[in-house]
Amino acid sequence: MTAADLLSVLPDALAITAGADHVVESLSPRGGQLFGTAVRTGRPIRETVPTGGLVAALDAAYRDGETTVVPRGVMSSAAVPTADEWSFGVSASPVGDISRGVSGLLLRVLADGPADVDGSRARAHEFQRLTEQLSSAATPTEIGRLTATAAATLIGADASVVYARVEGEDVLESLHHAGWPGDTVERFRRLPMQRGRPLSDAVLTGRPVWIEDAHQWRSQYPEMAPVGVAEGHEATACLPLRVESRELGAAVFSFSGARAFGLAEREFLLAVAALCAQALDRARLYTAEREARAAAERERDRMSFLARASQLMEAPFSVEERLRRLADLAVTGICDWSAVHFVRGSRLERVAVAHLDPAKVAFVEELEHRYPPDPDAPGGAMQVARSGVPVVMSEIPDDLLVASAKDETHLELMRAIGLSSAIVVPLLSRGRSLGALTLVHAESGERFTDDDLTFVGQLATTAALALDNAALYEAQRTVARTLQTALLPAELPKVPGVRCAGRYRPPSPDLTDVYVGGDLYDIHEDVERGRWALTVADVCGKGPQAAALTALIRHTVHAEVGHGYAPADVLRRVNTAMLRHHGGARARFATMVHAALTVEPTGAAVTLVNGGHPPGLVLRGDRVESIAVPGTLVGVYPDPNLTEVEIHLAPGDTMLLYTDGVTEAHGPQGFYGSEPLEALLATLAGESADAIADAILTEVSDFQCGRLRDDVALLVIQVQR
Amino acid sequence: MNGPRDTAPSETSGGLWAVSSWDSDRLVLVLHGDLDIDTLPTAQDEVSAAEGQAPRVLVLDLSQLGYVDSSGVRMVLLAQQVADDAGRLLAVRLGHGATRRVFDMLGITGRLEVLDEGEASP
């Protein structure tokens, strides 16, 4: 508090001096009026008023650190230029930091003459003490207590109460009270402001209301008189607490019996009220600032929490694991308990429950095991998930526990968890409710309010989106797997005298989008001609369009083989069917190798045609031959060059047909290529068709560190010895 | 082949970049790097931009590519179709390495105007 502040809140203040010569630091308007020109700002009183009792009193106060008084009449001096004798008394109270000593004096007028000297001195002293105390009081309650106590001890008030105005409302709330009879305190703890009542009038008009006796009560405030004069109380001072135009509240002091409020007393009480108001205003600002800071910090924490939650939702975990981690994250600062529930048909499945203390989680799990929760409980996850409407329970009423308890023990156990406040929000995605997110406060004693809905809603949206994406992804993968399965033979037919092995491996899910491959292998019987049709094909591109072409190829081959066409003609018909299928656009092509196999007593005769496909390999003993036969890819040109070759497979010989997912495999050492494949096949001499197929798949997979970029199809045909 | 109208190499993704230049009435687009499913969109953009200039002959030079898979073949087939439809010509340079082998295996080298077919292997 500055000197100027002091002068402004003390109606009887005259001046503030500094130093041993009492240099006038500031002079109140009233000081200027009373002292006249004898006392001037910036000039030492020792020089301007050298004689008389004033300087001596100032010296004593300055030296001893005690309030001194110069009664009226003692202060006259011939040296004073004004002709009038000073007809007022002055008190001088030391100011300054107690620990560092007196730095100056506060001069105040003694309005009531010499008789009040002692009172004035005590009041000045008390006032100074109150100033110091209020400057360190932080809470409105503490300020109220100090104000009421100071006034009561100094003026002898028998009861006191300090009210603060509830921000934004016409309501006063008691901060501190003392000495009131009976149930007065309870009745007036919270007061709506109402004109025509002394306290409200004081607040609303900004002017103090002084009631000195029972008569004044009855004449001015007849309605309130019974309260005002209860149990011998009569004189009452209602003082507004204001800073500038801010109505902060009011202080009320009540006295037993009648009392005439003297000028000094009125001024003292008003000064106390002014001090109190300033302290309240400071506390209000401090509180507002602290709340704003806390709100900003909470907002920042929540934003960072949301960011972490979003990251979590993109992490490479299963949906359940992500939600478990989300629940774990929530209890690190948002709430004490958290849970996530999924709707699965008509059931509600709890996928996560979290608390920082694992023992408590275990307790709840045991509890839910013993007492399976009622899915239809009001405000429960199921209700919220079904309705899509969030529920905020700022307080979890005991009634709710009683209602949902199965028996006394259950109730006791539920009470023991100490749930105090909860918020349940639906996990909504594209208008569909997938489940619910539940956050609960317990031992922290915190409360959720409607204000928290936005944040918790954002959190639920983040979770629901991830959940929905994951569900879509799973659904697509299921479709892809189903489609892929439909494109491949469920099992290869048994060809007498020949062992066959087919393999298909899709690309690694993390290296591709949802994938339906274009690779195909197939063996089917041409019953009429006693032959077997072998096919390995690779449609350029991926996805549903590629899958459609793969299906077209497979079914066209089946049909044309059934019509008795030779392999090259089968391919030409596939070529025509593809051209017809995509109406002249060349974008989609396929490569394929197709053969007709006839089992013979000496082995197998194979008539093979290759439409732009990687050449097949034949393993004879430990020698590998490449079936290099030129041919045009299918699906682009109306007149592909296709040449049939005849291959004889002796008993023990193995033919390998494959897609470029093998030879074009790309790993840390570059491309796999056809030579390593031939070398590998040579090492597999004597192995079964299945063993050869598996060995090649393993090698291709290992070459790419287990992560296939392209799909792979293999067909191994081995003539039995 | 590089003349004053050369463009700066286009900065492209996934290790594929292109340089185009005019050689009389031919627009030559030289692709460098790897051409596969990942870089196909970039390559396709370059080819479309070249087609947009309506050269009498568009030369796609694939001989400088480190790698080309069926995606690149598909791109060439599409470009050939565009040229056919517009009454213009598409020619390719395939070099004598892996790119050439890919086109050979697919049986389409004979169906494309291959400029470096008769040249000796380097």
Side-chain angles (χ1 to χ4, degrees), chain A residues 109-352:
Chain A
V109 63
L110 284 179
D112 287 348
D116 197 34
V117 166
D118 288 344
S120 175
R121 184 181 296 162
R123 268 178 233 148
H125 182 70
E126 182 63 18
F127 191 84
Q128 193 195 1
R129 209 163 64 89
L130 181 63
T131 307
E132 282 163 11
Q133 288 173 335
L134 284 179
S135 69
S136 61
T139 66
T141 310
E142 179 71 359
I143 291 163
R145 188 185 64 78
L146 288 170
T147 306
T149 308
T153 50
L154 264 287
I155 306 288
D158 296 295
S160 59
V161 57
V162 175
Y163 283 100
R165 182 171 185 171
V166 178
E167 199 136 345
E169 287 182 52
D170 284 339
V171 171
L172 298 169
E173 251 179 8
S174 159
L175 292 175
H176 181 85
H177 55 81
W180 297 94
D183 60 354
T184 316
V185 170
E186 274 314 308
R187 284 174 60 200
F188 298 105
R189 188 178 290 282
R190 203 178 149 85
L191 286 180
M193 284 204 280
Q194 204 175 342
R195 274 193 183 278
R197 295 192 171 178
L199 185 57
S200 298
D201 281 357
V203 175
L204 294 171
T205 63
R207 284 196 293 274
V209 173
W210 308 99
I211 304 168
E212 297 187 319
D213 53 31
H215 172 72
Q216 285 182 9
W217 266 114
R218 280 189 289 272
S219 61
Q220 291 174 34
Y221 295 100
E223 197 189 334
M224 295 302 293
V227 178
V229 301
E231 300 200 8
H233 284 253
E234 282 192 47
T236 301
C238 298
L239 313 173
L241 301 175
R242 275 198 175 204
V243 171
E244 288 158 9
S245 60
R246 291 189 291 282
E247 297 161 8
L248 301 170
V252 180
F253 302 105
S254 172
F255 301 82
S256 287
R259 181 185 186 99
F261 291 107
L263 179 61
E265 233 170 47
R266 289 185 184 209
E267 287 183 340
F268 174 77
L269 285 172
L270 285 175
V272 166
L275 264 188
C276 174
Q278 287 206 335
L280 280 179
D281 198 42
R282 187 167 38 76
R284 187 185 60 86
L285 287 174
Y286 176 74
T287 305
E289 184 197 291
R290 202 178 44 186
E291 279 173 1
R293 196 167 50 230
E297 280 170 4
R298 194 170 60 236
E299 194 61 17
R300 185 201 60 204
D301 289 350
R302 288 180 161 190
M303 286 303 118
S304 100
F305 181 84
L306 274 181
R308 274 185 293 161
S310 296
Q311 273 173 1
L312 197 55
M313 289 301 124
E314 286 160 11
F317 306 127
S318 69
V319 171
E320 280 81 358
E321 182 60 22
R322 284 185 217 167
L323 292 172
R324 272 194 288 277
R325 288 176 186 232
L326 177 70
D328 288 342
L329 185 60
V331 297
T332 59
I334 304 298
C335 54
D336 295 322
W337 287 92
S338 67
V340 180
H341 291 82
F342 270 178
V343 175
R344 298 241 203 244
S346 62
R347 285 188 319 112
L348 194 67
E349 185 189 322
R350 197 195 67 205
V351 291

Side-chain angles (χ1 to χ4, degrees), chain A residues 437-459:
Chain A
L437 171 69
T438 305
L439 303 182
V440 177
H441 283 312
E443 59 275 5
S444 67
E446 288 185 44
R447 293 273 181 272
F448 284 111
T449 67
D450 286 348
D451 295 343
D452 295 312
L453 265 180
T454 311
F455 163 68
V456 181
Q458 281 170 326
L459 185 59

Side-chain angles (χ1 to χ4, degrees), chain B:
Chain B
M1 173 188 314
N2 291 351
R5 281 182 290 171
D6 281 12
T7 57
S10 308
E11 184 54 41
T12 58
S13 63
L16 180 103
W17 69 100
V19 179
S20 70
S21 61
W22 285 92
D23 178 14
S24 155
D25 59 351
R26 296 174 166 200
L27 178 57
V28 181
L29 185 67
V30 189
L31 298 177
H32 299 263
D34 293 344
L35 177 50
D36 57 16
I37 187 102
D38 296 330
T39 58
L40 179 63
T42 311
Q44 192 64 63
D45 287 349
E46 295 288 346
V47 171
S48 299
E51 286 167 344
Q53 301 184 54
R56 197 182 67 79
V57 181
L58 173 61
V59 179
L60 294 182
D61 187 341
L62 309 181
S63 64
Q64 307 303 308
L65 286 170
Y67 171 71
V68 63
D69 71 359
S70 59
S71 307
V73 176
R74 193 177 164 195
M75 187 189 79
V76 170
L77 293 175
L78 280 169
Q80 192 181 36
Q81 188 171 24
V82 167
D84 286 355
D85 292 350
R88 301 198 294 258
L89 295 175
L90 177 86
V92 293
R93 297 180 76 90
L94 300 175
H96 298 278
T99 302
R100 177 65 181 261
R101 283 196 293 278
V102 168
F103 281 79
D104 282 350
M105 191 182 77
L106 293 167
I108 57 172
T109 312
R111 291 169 185 269
L112 298 169
E113 180 69 27
V114 183
L115 297 179
D116 49 357
E117 177 135 41
E119 293 173 13
S121 298

Side-chain angles (χ1 to χ4, degrees), chain A residues 503-535:
Chain A
R503 296 286 185 276
Y504 173 79
R505 184 65 52 85
S508 304
D510 58 328
L511 291 181
T512 179
D513 298 331
V514 170
Y515 190 92
V516 189
D519 283 10
L520 163 73
Y521 70 85
D522 198 12
I523 299 180
H524 73 278
E525 189 177 7
D526 175 5
V527 181
E528 275 185 53
R529 279 151 288 274
R531 301 192 299 202
W532 301 85
L534 317 177
T535 309

